[in-house]
Amino acid sequence: MTYQLDPTQSRARVVPSTRTRTTGAPHFGTLPLGDPTGGADGIRWREQVDGKQLYPRVVIDRNVSITMSDGVVLRATVIRPANRFGQTILTPYPAVININPYNRAAIDFIDQTLHAPVLGKALHTASRSLDATGTALEGLTTLTQTLSGGVFDVFGINRNLVRSGYVQVVVDVRGTGASLGKWQILGPREQQDSVEVIDWVTEQEWCDGTVGMAGWSYSAINSLQAADKRPAALKAVFAVEGCDDLVRDIYITGGMPSAFIPVWLSAVNMLKWVPNPANVIRDLVRGDAVRWAIDRVKSPATEIPSLLWGFLTARDPRIFDDPYFDDRDPVVDRIEAPTFTVGAWHDLFGRSATGVYERLQMEPGRKQMIVGDGYHLDVGSGYGGQFAPPRLDVLERAWFDRWLKGHRNGIEYYGPVTMLQQGGAWTAGQSFPRAGVAPTRLYLTAESSSTADHCVHDGSLSSTPAQGVSSLHVRPDSRGLRSRDMTQVTAGATLALGADFARDARYQERGALSFTTEPVGEATPISGAMNLRLNVATTAHEAVWAVTVNDVAPDGTSVVLTNGALSASNRALDQSKSTYAEDGSLLSAHHYLSRKRKLPVPADEALRIDVDLVPTDAVLQPGHRLRVDVYAASLPRYLTLVPDLIKARGRRHQRLVLDPDHPSHLTLLAGDGLR
């Protein structure tokens, strides 16, 4: 679970710039150990992106067809460098491929807006300069600053990258945008398409035979999928907020479907019905418009009927962990191409930010990880700041320059683990979890902490178990609609609505059983996975348990650091895939989440459950406290299948039973201040 830089890499980071690496290649600039900005190299990477490029212009062909082995035609945009007269440069260059389902018409609109002569510059300037930190508009400007963080260059058309000597290829996934066929949602045929697109690109006269893949979200996932097939031409991957476990991250976290999935599926299904203006005339002339329409009619709302049927009846296998998902999860440990992964602690795919890095079977440096303290839609916000990592477009360029062009620019000595420590600052180090933490166990007790009178119950987190038996009742409510859970499930959209949706959980805590430590006397790091073991009971035959772990400031502000949930019937553990600390404590619970592994939930009988919490990295400042909040639900972050809802009897009573013989406790990796 912990990866270290090898000694030669660690030493190489601090040699003077006049010396050379063991390869004999010159290296200009040095990277101070632990510098998240990249030091002198980071400045140089940024100057290369923001300065004069090799070519002044680009030529964009938005009407390219690529025929797959089964005859289905995918549509693509090819962007090539051009001279000042707009003439295409004939020199072959490395190609960077983006494949996504969001319709190239939308990507074209973003590209044309951001490069409009006056509007584009104004938008970039506003994104960099507007900062409402500390005001009611803080969340809104966090979202708008995403533009200046460079993620849209990774997601869509990156003209600057092409002008520096690359070709970019943006492809509509089959069954979406202008591509023909049926959308398969990351399925096996779609993965084969990615490999065939790579093969097609390498055969073109404008490609030098070397390929990289990049993307944000869906296109990051299919980049990882393509890399696990090990195509010879694929030399590097730059994946922003990808995923390697669709089930546990977003589809059925803790055995409960997420409200995000039906909203997202509906959006993509609507976008796939929008014709691309760049292709309409040609498609009408060639008859492709009719074939496109027929394919859309055959699958007008891909997967939505099965999702609805599964939610209403629990009879569709895709509402459980199923081989359907096994076919779609990237096999990360097969990837050999150098891979740069970017994530966020409260991203939809929060577990994958660190999970992908952990499972990549290559030395640090060839793999890199950056994790910020944000969500899905605000990735890159704040990047490029004084103490922050370089912008994402800067990192992408440096990554591909190194692995596609062989430039010795020092990017492999960056990081390799760069994290925005919640409650702290950006750091760069050698491992995750970070050094200085050890397994720690904190018990939930009924004694008041005198810090959470607003909660259903104000209890304590202690190094010793409860002395007597207590039964604490909690019921479902709707306060999760105004919480960080809500912002996470909306991919960050509700961040603009105020502090209750991001920075202060006290409104949601009114429906919680709360357990809080004494204030720490020194800065105390928390890093890695954690698990909450609970002894619970319910008056019904199903129960939903949602949990957050919070940092509580001296003024009472309660900030969620991580979260998790579990339905009681899904409590069965796959011990072979669970993670344990050196002392045998369970750190990361892997539940089966399958139909055949569901367990009965007897009424009014205490059961042991382990709630897996998203790995995180944080620091409790002196005077701060750690808090565990236990809820009977958190809508709409965690939904309940209708059959399970019937078993749960709606307004059920759930109980947390604090029993010294069966203690409820939090196991985490923490510094001395919590031991």
Side-chain angles (χ1 to χ4, degrees):
M1 191 169 185
T2 300
Y3 293 86
Q4 302 287 341
L5 280 174
D6 67 57
T8 59
Q9 288 181 330
S10 182
R11 286 195 298 270
R13 298 183 64 161
V14 294
V15 297
S17 58
T18 55
R19 292 185 56 184
T20 58
R21 308 265 177 205
T22 55
T23 60
H27 175 68
F28 302 99
T30 59
L31 292 179
L33 182 64
D35 185 354
T37 71
D41 281 347
I43 294 172
R44 189 158 150 270
W45 303 333
R46 187 192 67 231
E47 290 173 345
Q48 288 179 330
V49 172
D50 293 344
K52 185 178 180 180
Q53 300 304 315
L54 183 62
Y55 300 105
R57 300 179 63 181
V58 301
V59 171
I60 303 178
D61 184 350
R62 305 181 192 273
N63 205 350
V64 177
S65 297
I66 309 173
T67 303
M68 299 292 98
S69 58
D70 63 351
V72 169
V73 176
L74 306 187
R75 307 306 288 272
T77 299
V78 175
I79 308 97
R80 297 173 63 184
N83 63 23
R84 63 192 180 94
F85 302 108
Q87 296 169 320
T88 305
I89 301 300
L90 300 180
T91 305
Y93 280 110
V96 174
I97 301 172
N98 306 66
I99 307 175
N100 72 65
Y102 299 117
N103 199 322
R104 285 175 304 117
I107 293 174
D108 289 346
F109 174 78
I110 294 171
D111 171 64
Q112 291 162 351
T113 300
L114 296 182
H115 291 92
V118 177
L119 179 60
K121 185 176 181 180
L123 289 172
H124 280 95
T125 300
S127 175
R128 288 192 299 268
S129 59
L130 293 178
D131 186 358
T133 301
T135 74
L137 297 177
E138 178 177 352
L140 181 60
T141 58
T142 297
L143 288 169
T144 58
Q145 287 174 355
T146 304
L147 174 59
S148 62
V151 73
F152 287 100
D153 288 309
V154 179
F155 171 70
I157 295 174
N158 190 341
R159 296 190 182 204
N160 223 20
L161 180 69
V162 173
R163 290 171 56 222
S164 71
Y166 287 89
V167 177
Q168 190 180 11
V169 182
V170 181
V171 185
D172 285 329
V173 166
R174 71 164 53 210
T176 71
S179 289
L180 304 183
K182 177 184 176 182
W183 185 32
Q184 204 181 55
I185 312 181
L186 298 167
R189 177 62 244 193
E190 189 178 308
Q191 294 174 46
Q192 185 176 338
D193 288 347
S194 296
V195 176
E196 292 183 12
V197 167
I198 292 172
D199 291 341
W200 178 85
V201 166
T202 59
E203 293 170 357
Q204 306 309 302
E205 61 183 6
W206 37 257
C207 178
D208 68 359
T210 304
V211 169
M213 291 194 73
W216 176 18
S217 191
Y218 193 104
S219 50
I221 298 172
N222 63 34
S223 295
L224 296 171
Q225 288 177 326
D228 81 34
K229 310 301 184 292
R230 300 178 179 176
L234 181 58
K235 302 300 183 181
V237 171
F238 193 87
V240 177
E241 293 186 328
C243 177
D244 70 332
D245 192 337
L246 292 166
V247 168
R248 285 157 185 80
D249 267 351
I250 189 63
Y251 257 85
I252 49 173
T253 305
M256 293 163 288
S258 164
F260 173 80
I261 291 300
V263 173
W264 172 77
L265 276 175
S266 298
V268 179
N269 272 295
M270 286 188 290
L271 279 172
K272 78 182 188 183
W273 280 93
V274 179
N276 190 325
N279 305 128
V280 170
I281 296 177
R282 179 180 175 182
D283 287 352
L284 286 171
V285 171
R286 294 190 173 189
D288 285 340
V290 174
R291 286 188 285 271
W292 178 88
I294 291 173
D295 285 344
R296 295 301 181 270
V297 170
K298 288 179 179 178
S299 181
T302 306
E303 293 291 7
I304 288 181
S306 63
L307 185 71
L308 180 62
W309 175 250
F311 183 77
L312 292 175
T313 67
R315 292 182 181 176
D316 192 288
R318 286 160 290 192
I319 211 70
F320 302 99
D321 195 356
D322 183 78
Y324 172 88
F325 294 104
D326 295 337
D327 290 340
R328 285 160 171 77
D329 287 335
V331 186
V332 175
D333 57 6
R334 281 185 48 83
I335 295 175
E336 295 179 340
T339 299
F340 201 121
T341 178
V342 179
W345 299 124
H346 303 282
D347 179 28
L348 293 163
F349 309 128
R351 301 170 197 274
S352 292
T354 54
V356 170
Y357 181 84
E358 176 186 343
R359 281 181 272 281
L360 286 168
Q361 301 300 304
M362 61 185 76
E363 67 275 13
R366 286 177 59 84
K367 63 176 180 178
Q368 297 272 347
M369 175 184 85
I370 295 182
V371 190
D373 182 13
Y375 305 90
H376 199 68
L377 292 177
D378 67 337
V379 64
S381 182
Y383 284 44
Q386 185 176 4
F387 303 109
R391 302 189 316 260
L392 291 174
D393 61 317
V394 172
L395 290 167
E396 180 192 31
R397 163 79 179 275
W399 193 247
F400 288 141
D401 277 356
R402 173 65 184 90
W403 301 112
L404 302 188
K405 292 186 173 181
H407 294 179
R408 297 289 180 174
N409 57 11
I411 188 67
E412 69 266 42
Y413 302 103
Y414 179 71
V417 175
T418 306
M419 303 181 289
L420 180 49
Q421 191 176 39
Q422 297 187 80
W426 280 104
T427 67
Q430 299 180 7
S431 65
F432 179 81
R434 69 174 62 241
V437 296
T440 303
R441 180 175 293 185
L442 297 172
Y443 295 91
L444 282 62
T445 69
E447 289 79 10
S448 174
S449 71
S450 301
T451 64
D453 292 340
H454 59 291
C455 298
V456 174
H457 179 81
D458 173 22
S460 296
L461 269 182
S462 170
S463 58
T464 57
Q467 298 303 306
V469 177
S470 302
S471 189
L472 308 178
H473 293 257
V474 64
R475 298 178 71 172
D477 64 28
S478 60
R479 291 188 178 91
L481 290 166
R482 187 173 158 187
S483 69
R484 195 162 214 176
D485 278 350
M486 180 66 170
T487 302
Q488 186 174 8
V489 80
T490 59
T494 55
L495 184 64
L497 298 180
D500 287 352
F501 291 85
R503 304 302 303 171
D504 196 343
R506 281 179 287 186
Y507 174 79
Q508 185 187 22
E509 285 180 339
R510 295 176 190 175
L513 304 174
S514 185
F515 304 88
T516 313
T517 65
E518 292 293 322
V520 297
E522 60 186 55
T524 304
I526 297 168
S527 189
M530 61 179 78
N531 181 75
L532 183 66
R533 176 162 293 178
L534 296 176
N535 196 40
V536 298
T538 178
T539 56
H541 294 287
E542 180 61 290
V544 172
W545 295 95
V547 173
T548 64
V549 176
N550 300 15
D551 176 354
V552 183
D555 67 358
T557 302
S558 181
V559 179
V560 174
L561 301 177
T562 184
N563 60 10
L566 185 69
S567 56
S569 61
N570 283 294
R571 63 189 183 276
L573 273 181
D574 183 346
Q575 295 185 353
S576 67
K577 294 183 179 179
S578 298
T579 304
Y580 297 84
E582 293 178 358
D583 64 357
S585 300
L586 179 63
L587 276 176
S588 178
H590 188 98
H591 300 94
Y592 288 103
L593 305 184
S594 63
R595 183 200 298 269
K596 67 179 182 180
R597 292 284 189 166
K598 287 176 77 75
L599 299 175
V601 180
D604 291 315
E605 182 178 319
L607 304 170
R608 188 189 80 178
I609 66 171
D610 288 286
V611 182
D612 181 28
L613 297 160
V614 177
T616 194
D617 188 76
V619 59
L620 299 179
Q621 298 295 346
H624 286 232
R625 304 167 186 257
L626 191 68
R627 172 176 292 166
V628 169
D629 287 328
V630 180
Y631 300 92
S634 183
L635 296 170
R637 177 68 181 92
Y638 311 107
L639 303 178
T640 307
L641 302 180
V642 170
D644 289 341
L645 193 62
I646 294 171
K647 292 179 183 178
R649 299 177 185 173
R651 298 290 291 173
R652 62 193 177 276
H653 289 276
Q654 293 180 205
R655 291 183 293 124
L656 174 61
V657 182
L658 300 180
D659 183 345
D661 294 330
H662 305 282
S664 296
H665 59 268
L666 176 71
T667 303
L668 72 163
L669 299 173
D672 293 339
L674 284 173
R675 295 178 203 158

